[in-house]
């Protein structure tokens, strides 16, 4: 076991130190003044790692040294059997091995060794000078002076209290007083003070970091306020003064004016039948009344025989008698406007102040005499057949209340503008609000969605303040839960010209979801397919330069961005009317193909566009189209001649078959300039319509005009595929029945 030694003075004076600062001058055993004492009392503490050493006897060896380290001990005593109690021990040094003045004169350090453990670190000796001088005087052969001998006596009589100045004390460890207390007038601490409890009469500072401090607790009833705080922290309450609660200079207040009017009036007053006329009004939970105004208007042939009683929600039996009688003899018009401070016949309306307005208030009017219709002024009031005399025309109560759940703002409130919601709207956050700086609207959390006032977001109708409305309040579908467009979500909506599922620049679609080409002549795209890859998702016209730096100039071309993945550049559209350009024609036509108006690009432009693609689209409607796995034209479109290719033909439902696509610029006076067939291909049976099979068989698309071989044949369908249905078996009239457009991707 390893122990830590600490020696100290045995008296309860300020000289309690670790290494015998005053012990040698203090404790010599023997009879006072009889002879020089031969022992010195050593007190110390043995401490293990977990605390004071266990009670019992320990072998202890004590040594005196001239230096802190090294050398030979000047004096050694032990091992000695030393009794330890509560970690403390005491030993009379010199009891077994005599102390000599020479050793004491050189000794500067003391050490303790417990059992076979290594010697504990040496501690310095701070000997009391008078005691040490006394010892030297005793062993001196000749005292040089009486004064020296006198000093020896003085040493013998020396008391410890005050013998060492407090300023000379230096502690190298914790000072453990056990269960004793420290008493001082003042205390200064440079570190933390840890205590189970602290009692003080004054606390300086704001106390903001104190814990465990008793604070006020409890609450007051509605209409009451805290008037004081007791010593135990509980509060006492008192009635709130009239005027209620307000804050911020009166801008915020809980004071409201609430009014309720009885419905269904006028209500007839029974004419002395024993029954009463009744009118009722009701208040919801609005708060406690601070003041009250009761208004009643009624007519009767003789108010001197009429009484009016008001029954509040908390008293359905007696209530307040407002008047009885309610007027002079033959007086006919009753008009009451009674405040809570006004006198009434029976009761006190002031009793309603401080009580909730909530509930049903009942007005009862009783007539105790029969009316005479012939009397002056009675004809309009008295109805003997109905047994009524007049009616209640108004019953209204107005109360000034202090609300327990509402606050009135007598001014404006500014919400801090925010570009994004402060947090996710959840059920726990319902009721929070902020001003949407981007949408320019006030938003509130309904527990699921940040909505705006008068919000119709999610109803499928695009309304003022909405960027989009897709009929739901879900995000991730192109239109956010608050009906806002989200750039970078992969959905092009609203004023976005593209959305490529990111907000990076330099990839064709900018960080603000604007196309980086195709929107102006100076920055054309190479094809609609390139624009679609950049995130453009809306059908429309774009600036296209299909041959790049070639001879053709950039121009606005029509792009189908939605059919079968989009990216189709439209080259031709037919209406079926007589005299239109064929698909291989060279004459430019500027109709709107999305409206299925006649449209045609010159051959050079159609050829250039074919050079940018790999497949052809034939479009008749949203879900009525064919994809053909080859472009429609090659160089013979310009140089003259015909070409055909095998290709896979696909319908919207996924139906597909092998087929052929081909064109011709010659032998087409009666049709056959362009066609698409199934796997049977073209038979070229006639020089008048080169790309038309006999009987129009096997054609998904053909052109034919037997009426006039003038090179303007119309188009029809002989053979269907999926939704692409046939229009006619082999129509030969001028024009055709099919309206469609052709595009390349």
């Amino acid at each position: 076991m390893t122990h830590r030694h600490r020696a100290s003075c045995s008296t309860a004076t300020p000289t309690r130190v670790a290494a015998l600062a005053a012990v040698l001058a203090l404790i010599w055993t023997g009879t006072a003044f009889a002879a020089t004492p031969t022992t010195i009392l050593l007190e110390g503490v043995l401490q293990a790692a977990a605390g004071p050493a266990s009670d019992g006897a320990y072998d202890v060896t004590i040594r005196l040294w001239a230096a802190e380290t090294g050398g030979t001990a000047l004096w050694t005593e032990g091992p000695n059997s030393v009794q330890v109690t509560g970690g403390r021990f005491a030993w009379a040094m010199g009891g077994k091995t005599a102390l000599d003045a020479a050793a004491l004169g050189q000794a500067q350090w003391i050490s303790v060794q417990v059992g076979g453990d290594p010697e504990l670190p040496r501690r310095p000796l701070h000997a009391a000078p008078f005691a040490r001088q006394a010892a030297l005087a005793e062993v001196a052969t000749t005292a040089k002076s009486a004064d020296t001998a006198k000093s020896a006596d003085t040493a013998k009589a020396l008391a410890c209290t005050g013998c060492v100045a407090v300023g000379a004390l230096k502690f190298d460890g914790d000072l453990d007083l056990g269960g004793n207390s420290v008493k001082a007038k003042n205390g200064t601490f440079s570190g933390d003070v840890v205590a189970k409890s602290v009692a003080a009469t004054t606390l300086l500072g704001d106390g903001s970091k104190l814990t465990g401090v008793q604070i006020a607790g409890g609450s007051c009833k509605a209409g009451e306020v805290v008037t004081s705080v007791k010593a135990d922290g509980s509060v006492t309450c008192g009635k709130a003064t009239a005027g209620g609660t307000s804050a911020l200079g009166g801008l915020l207040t809980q004071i409201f004016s609430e009014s309720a009017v009885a419905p269904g009036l006028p209500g007839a007053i029974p004419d002395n039948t024993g029954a009463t006329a009744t009118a009722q009004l009701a208040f919801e939970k609005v708060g406690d009344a601070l003041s009250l105004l009761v208004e009643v208007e009624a007519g009767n042939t003789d108010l001197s025989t009429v009484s009016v009683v008001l029954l509040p929600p908390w008293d359905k039996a007696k209530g307040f008698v407002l008047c009885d009688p309610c007027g002079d003899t033959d007086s006919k018009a009753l008009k009451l406007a009674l405040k809570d401070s006004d006198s009434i016949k029976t009761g006190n309306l002031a009793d309603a102040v401080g009580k909730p307005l909530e509930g049903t208030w009942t007005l009862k009017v009783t007539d105790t005499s029969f009316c005479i219709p012939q009397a002056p002024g009675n004809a309009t009031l008295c109805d003997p057949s109905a047994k009524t005399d007049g009616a209640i025309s108004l019953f209204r109560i107005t109360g000034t209340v202090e609300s327990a759940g509402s606050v009135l703002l007598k001014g404006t409130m500014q919400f801090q503008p925010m570009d994004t919601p402060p947090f996710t709207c959840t059920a726990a956050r319902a009721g929070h609000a902020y001003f949407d700086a981007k949408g320019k609207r006030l938003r509130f959390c309904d527990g699921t969605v940040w909505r705006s006032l008068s919000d119709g977001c999610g109803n499928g109708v695009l309304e003022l303040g909405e960027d989009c409305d897709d009929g739901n309040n879900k995000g991730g579908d192109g239109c956010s839960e608050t009906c806002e467009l989200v750039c970078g979500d992969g959905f092009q909506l609203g004023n976005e010209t593209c959305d490529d599922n990111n907000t990076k620049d330099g990839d064709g679609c900018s960080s603000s979801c604007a196309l980086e080409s195709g929107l102006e002549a100076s920055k054309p795209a190479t094809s609609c397919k390139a624009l679609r890859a950049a995130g453009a998702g809306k059908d429309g016209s774009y600036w296209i330069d299909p041959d790049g730096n070639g001879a053709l100039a950039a121009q606005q071309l029509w792009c189908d961005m939605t059919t079968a993945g989009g990216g189709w550049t439209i080259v031709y559209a037919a209406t079926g009317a007589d005299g239109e350009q064929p698909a291989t024609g060279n004459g430019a036509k500027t109709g709107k193909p999305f409206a299925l108006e006649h449209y045609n690009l010159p051959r050079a432009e159609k050829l250039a566009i074919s050079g940018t693609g790999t497949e052809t689209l034939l479009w008749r409607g949203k879900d009525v189209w064919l994809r053909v796995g080859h472009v429609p034209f090659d160089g013979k479109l310009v140089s003259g001649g015909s070409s055909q290719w095998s290709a896979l033909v696909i319908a919207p439902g996924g139906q597909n078959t092998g087929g052929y696509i081909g064109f011709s610029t010659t032998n087409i006076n009666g049709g056959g300039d362009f066609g698409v067939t199934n796997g049977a291909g073209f038979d070229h049976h006639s020089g008048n319509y080169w790309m038309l099979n006999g009987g129009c068989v096997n054609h998904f698309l053909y052109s034919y005009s037997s009426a006039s071989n003038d090179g303007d044949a119309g188009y029809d369908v002989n053979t269907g595929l999926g939704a692409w249905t046939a229009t006619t078996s082999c129509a030969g009239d001028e024009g055709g029945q099919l309206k469609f457009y052709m595009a390349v991707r």
Side-chain angles (χ1 to χ4, degrees):
M1 177 183 295
T2 300
H3 304 275
R4 187 174 64 208
H5 164 258
R6 184 169 61 193
S8 60
C9 180
S10 62
T11 64
T13 69
T15 58
R16 172 177 278 248
V17 295
L20 300 174
V23 170
L24 297 180
L26 174 65
I27 309 173
W28 286 92
T29 60
T31 305
F33 306 108
T36 301
T38 60
T39 61
I40 298 175
L41 181 63
L42 170 67
E43 290 185 343
V45 175
L46 290 183
Q47 190 167 358
S54 301
D55 291 355
Y58 290 79
D59 289 336
V60 176
T61 301
I62 304 168
R63 297 180 179 90
L64 296 179
W65 304 83
E68 182 179 3
T69 59
T72 302
L74 301 174
W75 175 86
T76 300
E77 185 175 64
N80 310 303
S81 180
V82 177
Q83 184 66 33
V84 176
T85 303
R88 299 175 179 276
F89 72 93
W91 181 256
M93 295 169 55
K96 287 189 175 181
T97 301
L99 288 165
D100 63 272
L104 289 176
Q106 299 178 56
Q108 300 294 325
W109 299 83
I110 187 171
S111 69
V112 174
Q113 181 180 2
V114 180
D117 288 352
E119 183 181 70
L120 295 174
R122 302 172 190 177
R123 299 300 180 105
L125 285 171
H126 299 286
F130 292 112
R132 190 165 191 179
Q133 178 63 29
L136 292 174
E138 173 117 344
V139 299
T141 304
T142 303
K144 294 183 179 180
S145 67
D147 293 336
T148 303
K150 185 177 182 180
S151 68
D153 293 337
T154 303
K156 292 180 180 180
L158 182 64
C160 185
T161 302
C163 64
V164 179
V166 173
L169 300 180
K170 294 183 180 180
F171 296 89
D172 58 356
D174 295 335
L175 182 60
D176 187 355
L177 301 182
N180 299 315
S181 301
V182 174
K183 295 182 179 180
K185 182 177 181 181
N186 298 304
T188 301
F189 300 90
S190 60
D192 296 332
V193 176
V194 180
K196 185 176 181 180
S197 62
V198 177
T201 57
T202 304
L203 174 65
L204 301 179
D206 62 5
S208 60
K209 295 185 179 180
L210 293 177
T211 59
V213 179
Q214 179 68 51
I215 59 175
S219 60
C220 296
K221 299 178 182 178
E224 294 183 337
V225 295
V226 176
T227 58
S228 64
V229 179
K230 298 178 182 178
D232 62 357
S234 62
V235 299
T236 56
C237 304
K239 190 175 182 62
T241 58
T245 303
S246 62
L248 299 179
L251 287 178
L252 282 178
T253 180
Q254 293 176 270
I255 309 305
F256 292 82
S257 179
E258 300 286 347
S259 183
V261 179
L265 298 180
I269 300 173
D271 184 26
N272 194 25
T273 63
T276 61
T278 301
Q280 291 185 320
L281 57 82
F283 287 95
E284 295 182 355
K285 189 174 182 178
V286 294
D288 298 336
L290 299 176
S291 65
L292 203 67
L293 174 64
V294 180
E295 297 175 271
V296 178
E297 294 182 9
N300 187 270
T301 60
D302 186 359
L303 291 178
S304 67
T305 60
V306 172
S307 62
V308 177
V309 176
L310 175 64
L311 300 178
W314 63 88
D315 182 0
K316 297 299 184 181
K318 185 177 180 181
F320 306 107
V321 180
L322 302 184
C323 58
D324 183 14
C326 292
D328 298 331
T329 302
D330 293 332
S331 59
K332 305 183 186 312
L334 174 66
K335 189 172 184 179
L336 300 177
L338 299 171
K339 300 178 182 178
D340 56 81
S341 58
D342 292 336
S343 298
I344 57 177
K345 180 67 176 180
T346 304
N348 189 349
L349 287 176
D351 291 343
V353 175
K355 290 186 173 65
L357 279 182
E358 177 186 0
T360 300
W361 296 70
T362 303
L363 185 76
K364 291 190 173 184
V365 178
T366 305
D367 180 5
T368 58
S369 68
F370 292 106
C371 63
I372 302 173
Q374 298 84 0
N378 288 1
T380 58
L381 297 172
C382 183
D383 185 351
S385 62
K387 298 182 180 180
T388 61
D389 185 358
I392 304 170
S393 57
L394 174 68
F395 172 37
R396 176 169 57 209
I397 294 178
T398 302
T400 301
V401 300
E402 181 173 18
S403 173
S406 300
V407 175
L408 174 64
L409 175 63
K410 296 181 177 180
T412 62
M413 178 178 290
Q414 180 180 3
F415 290 83
Q416 178 66 41
M418 299 181 183
D419 290 336
T420 58
F423 42 74
T424 301
C425 177
T426 63
R429 300 282 192 174
H432 285 265
Y434 79 99
F435 184 79
D436 181 352
K438 295 175 66 176
K440 308 299 183 186
R441 67 195 78 173
L442 187 65
R443 293 196 180 278
F444 66 93
C445 173
D446 69 354
T448 303
V449 176
W450 284 103
R451 296 193 177 275
S452 61
L453 299 179
S454 302
D455 192 356
C457 175
N459 63 5
V461 178
L462 187 63
E463 298 171 324
L464 183 65
E466 295 179 344
D467 296 332
C468 55
D469 197 319
D470 55 358
N472 64 64
N473 290 115
K474 298 178 181 179
D477 57 1
C479 186
S480 75
E481 63 271 18
T482 55
C483 291
E484 294 176 302
L485 296 177
V486 181
C487 177
D489 63 356
F491 298 91
Q492 184 196 342
L493 295 171
N495 59 1
E496 296 177 340
T497 57
C498 61
D499 197 316
D500 57 354
N501 209 32
N502 68 65
T503 52
K504 298 178 181 179
D505 291 319
D507 58 358
C509 185
S510 73
S511 58
S512 59
C513 289
L515 284 171
E516 295 172 328
S517 64
L519 297 182
E520 52 187 87
S522 62
K523 296 180 180 180
T526 57
S527 67
C528 296
K529 181 179 179 180
L531 290 174
R532 185 68 188 92
K538 289 185 178 180
D539 298 339
S541 64
Y542 298 84
W543 284 94
I544 305 292
D545 187 356
D547 68 345
N549 296 324
L552 298 176
Q555 60 179 308
Q556 286 183 292
L557 299 179
W558 295 98
C559 295
D560 181 336
M561 296 297 194
T562 55
T563 303
W568 303 94
T569 306
I570 300 175
V571 297
Y572 179 76
T575 70
D578 184 29
E580 292 183 347
Q581 284 279 313
T584 56
N586 194 45
K589 297 298 178 180
T590 59
K592 297 178 180 179
F594 288 115
L596 292 178
E597 298 174 356
H598 185 39
Y599 175 79
N600 187 53
L601 294 177
R603 288 172 178 168
E605 294 176 9
K606 283 186 283 194
L607 177 60
I609 293 170
S610 294
T612 66
T614 59
E615 55 184 335
T616 301
L617 174 71
L618 303 176
W619 191 93
R620 292 162 60 183
K622 180 180 179 182
D623 295 312
V624 185
W625 46 263
L626 288 180
R627 285 174 55 198
V628 184
H630 200 281
V631 294
F633 307 113
D634 64 7
K636 293 179 181 179
L637 180 67
V638 175
S639 63
S642 65
S643 295
Q644 67 182 51
W645 306 273
S646 63
L648 182 66
V649 182
I650 304 173
Q655 301 88 351
N656 64 87
T657 184
Y660 287 85
I661 181 173
F663 76 96
S664 179
T665 60
T666 59
N667 302 323
I668 59 172
N669 288 336
D673 71 296
F674 183 83
V676 179
T677 72
N678 60 20
F682 299 98
D683 62 14
H684 307 301
H685 74 285
S686 171
N688 286 329
Y689 23 78
W690 188 244
M691 306 302 290
L692 175 64
N693 292 336
C696 307
V697 296
N698 303 320
H699 273 280
F700 296 127
L701 181 72
Y702 70 87
S703 65
Y704 179 45
S705 176
S706 61
S708 176
N709 293 333
D710 56 5
D712 61 352
Y715 296 86
D716 277 299
V717 178
N718 169 267
T719 302
L721 180 65
W724 185 269
T725 57
T727 59
T728 182
S729 60
C730 195
D733 298 332
E734 281 288 272
Q737 299 183 29
L738 191 66
K739 294 182 177 182
F740 78 104
Y741 64 70
M742 180 192 305
V744 176
R745 180 175 70 182

